[in-house]
Amino acid sequence: MRAATGQAEGLSEKEGLGERRFPGRWWLPEPKGSEPPAHGTRQSRLDRLAAYFHALPRAFQADIDRGRLIVWASLAYCCGIALYFRLDFEPSLPAISVAVLALAPVSYMTHRGGRSATMSLLALSLASGLFAATLRTEHVAAPMIERPRSVTVTGFVESVQPTKSGQRLQILVSRIEGLRQENLPDRVRISIRGTESVPKVAEAVSLRARVAPPPGPVIPGGYDYAFRMYFEGVGATGYAFGRPQPASIGVAPLRLRLMGALERFRHGIAERIRARLGDGPAGALAVALLIGDRSGLDEQTVDALREAGLAHVLAISGLHMALFAGAVFAGLRAALALFPPLALKYPIDKWAAGAALAAATFYLVISGASIATQRAYVMIALVLVGRLLGRRALTFRSVALAALAILILTPEALVEPGFQMSFAAVIVLIAAYEEVTRRRAGREEPVGMPPGLALRFLKAIFGGFAALALTSIVAGTATGLIGAYHFQRVAPLGFLVNVLAMPLVTLVVMPFGVLSIALMPLGLEGPALAVMGEGLDLMVAISQKAGDFTPGDGLVGAQSAAGVLAAVVAGLALCLFPVGYRRLSVIPFLAAAVLMAAFRSPDLYIAADGSSLAFRDGAGELKVAASRLNFEASTWLRADAVPERQQIDRRLGREDWNCDRLGCVGRAHGEVGAAAAMPITVALVRRPAALEEDCRRADMVVTHFDAPRPCGRLAVFDRSVLNETGAVSLKLRQTPDGTLAIAARAVARSPDRPWGRIQPQ
């Protein structure tokens, strides 16, 4: 069967079909023995379109026959996981197990029988994804604290993470005052103030703390901290009243003792780096790049990198792993090549690949093994193993295997921004370079004298910058949309900044960082770290200068989830469809554009505990009613594309809000164009004494108490309602008949899902 070069394959003369080439490099079938309609006629266009779609299944089958089945199977597996997390109820594990067991022999028999096993394998992959996510949820299930309480927590320190004001301890629980053993959560996270007397990993501690269930999303559809904590086995979060004290509860588990030894090793590397580069941005960035510890980075540096589009440098991913392992491979191979007896008699290429694989494993261990690093490690390992076996490994199949390797063990990673952005970048890069390679293969080389040395040098320089530009454009576009949805931020100057800064990272920062790690056992890392620090200082300067020219800190506000999903589908179609059919991706692209254009931010936000809210005033600006600019208020304003330096100005003043010690009353508006026609009166009640009057006079009442019924002319959000809904967002609009319509969206943490059973108190 021919390789696909822009054609839909699978058509032959034996089937009674001829072939005819039409514009756009599509091979379209035409009934043999019939006269083709005249070009340009309506019948001709319809026949060509019908033939085009008629050949679509065979085009897909041709792609699958070339080894793409694992790619589509992994996508089906991802869809099964996504389906599980979108359900409002917990599916039955036995029922899903039966479905998987029933589909497995069907898929096997269709394959053995010589029939197309594609659909049966995709169905099996979908069911397997659903099964893996359900099984994972069952496996990590552990009790959670049901309500806030002050208790004494005793256990072993599992991790220590620096924060702005102190440290955050994750404790493997041994006992909690007032809780029976069967009700104990596996882990708790507790923040302590200060940096003195900080316990180390694997130490036994006891401390007095205020703990509560992990909070849910601040905005419907936003980041769900409780979801993440559930899958990490954390059943409570809180803060300590004092310093941790040593506890006598025996010896820590072996796993924690090994983690403690690894943490001390990583801490030793970090101290060596800081001793040479200091505690400034260069030292903190070097530690973040080499061992994955970002705790020393200040907010100004991180924000500058985000605004400039260089935040991906902080994630130890494919670039870092490739440079780390690639430097070991190239260096060792070059060193061995200096000895002709070795180079001529032994497979030094395979020796270098084995050493690079060991180096990549070492880097994975010391860097913290985040999702992006795991993906990069699997990809690099496949490439190096392919080198050992003499096979090419950097393909969509290797990406599919990397995704499966991660998602089989941790299906919840699919909904994490790091996983999505990491795999989106590598998929579009492989697709882009495959297209470049395909176009080059079809281009005829000029006949004549070979180019001179100077011309070859210029072509190499131009090719390097062209590759860097292509990488920045396609990877930035793929990750930018996902980043805009999760973080409400884009980097408009990201392309230019990456072209300027990434050569520094590729040619200076990472190579000398790798060299410094190699020289540390000899105590000779100083010069290499000095060069790395100079490169990092220049990178920070570039990002800060770019940040000065980035309007509004790059904030774009909340995005349409449906629009982003449609764009992801379009991107997958553009990258993975058979070549002649990739233009079909324009359909979901248009759908994404329409959905995003129609999307508008909510007009009113209500906190899950009813203590604060935000609403749009008559000028269309979102104002917050909160005692201080807390995390919830900052998140609401960020979703409305308000930069942090302007957020303090969005606190409600007396002209917007009538407040006293009992509560506040104000007017909320909808769309600016119809603001005069539909303001509503909103009351935020802080004392029970104001409930009766505000329930009678206000259109909407918000309170963290239980309100009497009826209350409010339109709606009431009190403790009983918010315990069921969680945080709420509302959109106000005027209908054609002049009445007010309210579209509400709630977090609605379903009690049928394990991570949503604990309701706010």
Side-chain angles (χ1 to χ4, degrees), residues 89-111:
F89 60 90
E90 191 65 20
S92 169
L93 183 59
I96 300 173
S97 303
V98 170
V100 172
L101 292 175
L103 286 170
V106 172
S107 178
Y108 176 76
M109 287 186 293
T110 55
H111 178 75

Side-chain angles (χ1 to χ4, degrees), residues 220-312:
Y223 180 71
D224 192 344
Y225 186 70
F227 175 86
R228 178 183 173 188
M229 292 298 98
Y230 175 84
F231 283 97
E232 292 187 10
V234 178
T237 60
Y239 56 89
F241 292 124
R243 307 303 304 174
Q245 301 299 320
S248 300
I249 54 176
V251 180
L254 176 61
R255 177 181 62 85
L256 285 187
R257 298 202 299 273
L258 293 175
M259 288 175 59
L262 176 61
E263 195 63 31
R264 289 190 293 272
F265 178 68
R266 297 176 68 223
H267 181 73
I269 295 176
E271 289 302 312
R272 297 277 288 272
I273 296 172
R274 293 191 185 102
R276 185 63 182 82
L277 298 181
D279 295 326
L285 279 170
V287 171
L289 292 178
L290 294 179
I291 66 170
D293 181 5
R294 305 187 201 177
S295 59
L297 289 169
D298 59 89
E299 288 189 14
Q300 291 77 14
T301 301
V302 175
D303 287 342
L305 292 173
R306 286 174 178 166
E307 292 170 18
L310 288 174
H312 62 89

Side-chain angles (χ1 to χ4, degrees), residues 462-761:
F462 177 78
F465 274 98
L468 182 61
L470 177 63
T471 300
S472 299
I473 291 173
V474 298
T477 302
T479 60
L481 187 61
I482 298 174
Y485 174 73
H486 287 289
F487 309 115
Q488 297 89 48
R489 187 193 294 271
V490 296
L493 301 178
F495 165 67
L496 177 62
V497 172
N498 275 272
V499 170
L500 294 174
M502 288 313 294
L504 281 172
V505 178
T506 305
L507 303 176
V508 178
V509 173
M510 286 307 298
F512 282 93
V514 174
L515 182 61
S516 70
I517 293 290
L519 294 175
M520 274 186 186
L522 305 176
L524 303 176
E525 72 277 6
L529 284 175
V531 177
M532 182 184 186
E534 292 295 328
L536 289 172
D537 284 333
L538 186 54
M539 185 184 75
V540 172
I542 292 173
S543 64
Q544 289 175 342
K545 183 61 68 174
D548 295 338
F549 290 95
T550 300
D553 296 343
L555 290 177
V556 293
Q559 303 296 308
S560 166
V564 172
L565 180 60
V568 169
V569 171
L572 290 173
L574 184 62
C575 294
L576 301 180
F577 271 26
V579 176
Y581 291 89
R582 290 179 181 175
R583 62 186 62 191
L584 291 177
S585 62
V586 72
I587 299 173
F589 269 129
L590 289 175
V594 171
L595 290 168
M596 290 181 179
F599 178 81
R600 68 181 182 89
S601 296
D603 303 308
L604 196 148
Y605 293 101
I606 300 174
D609 61 359
S611 62
S612 57
L613 57 84
F615 62 81
R616 207 167 298 283
D617 64 9
E621 292 188 342
L622 193 71
K623 297 292 185 72
V624 296
S627 56
R628 56 188 176 86
L629 199 61
N630 54 18
F631 173 73
E632 290 172 329
S634 180
T635 303
W636 294 334
L637 294 173
R638 182 187 181 88
D640 210 53
V642 180
E644 186 174 352
R645 59 179 176 270
Q646 300 176 13
Q647 289 183 0
I648 193 66
D649 299 330
R650 294 300 185 93
R651 292 273 305 277
L652 287 166
R654 291 289 181 180
E655 68 278 6
D656 310 296
W657 199 241
N658 182 18
C659 293
D660 56 28
R661 65 181 185 85
L662 299 179
C664 301
V665 178
R667 301 281 280 176
H669 297 73
E671 298 175 77
V672 176
M678 55 175 144
I680 62 172
T681 303
V682 181
L684 177 63
V685 181
R686 295 196 171 115
R687 295 288 187 275
L691 276 173
E692 182 179 353
E693 180 181 358
D694 287 340
C695 282
R696 186 174 64 254
R697 300 177 57 183
D699 297 312
M700 185 177 297
V701 176
V702 178
T703 179
H704 59 282
F705 300 105
D706 286 322
R709 296 296 192 275
C711 183
R713 289 190 286 266
L714 292 177
V716 57
F717 294 93
D718 62 355
R719 180 165 57 184
S720 61
V721 173
L722 292 173
N723 277 351
E724 296 180 2
T725 64
V728 178
S729 64
L730 302 99
K731 296 180 181 179
L732 311 178
R733 65 180 180 86
Q734 190 172 14
T735 61
D737 60 1
T739 59
L740 177 67
I742 301 178
R745 185 184 180 193
V747 170
R749 298 176 63 185
S750 171
D752 294 326
R753 306 315 300 269
W755 54 86
R757 289 172 183 164
I758 305 303
Q759 306 296 342
Q761 300 293 321

Side-chain angles (χ1 to χ4, degrees), residues 22 29 74 119 197 211 292 318 339 345 372 559 634 646 659 716 726:
F22 287 94
S74 66
M119 295 309 297
S197 303
V211 295
F339 302 93
K345 295 177 63 176
Q559 303 296 308
S634 180
Q646 300 176 13
C659 293
V716 57

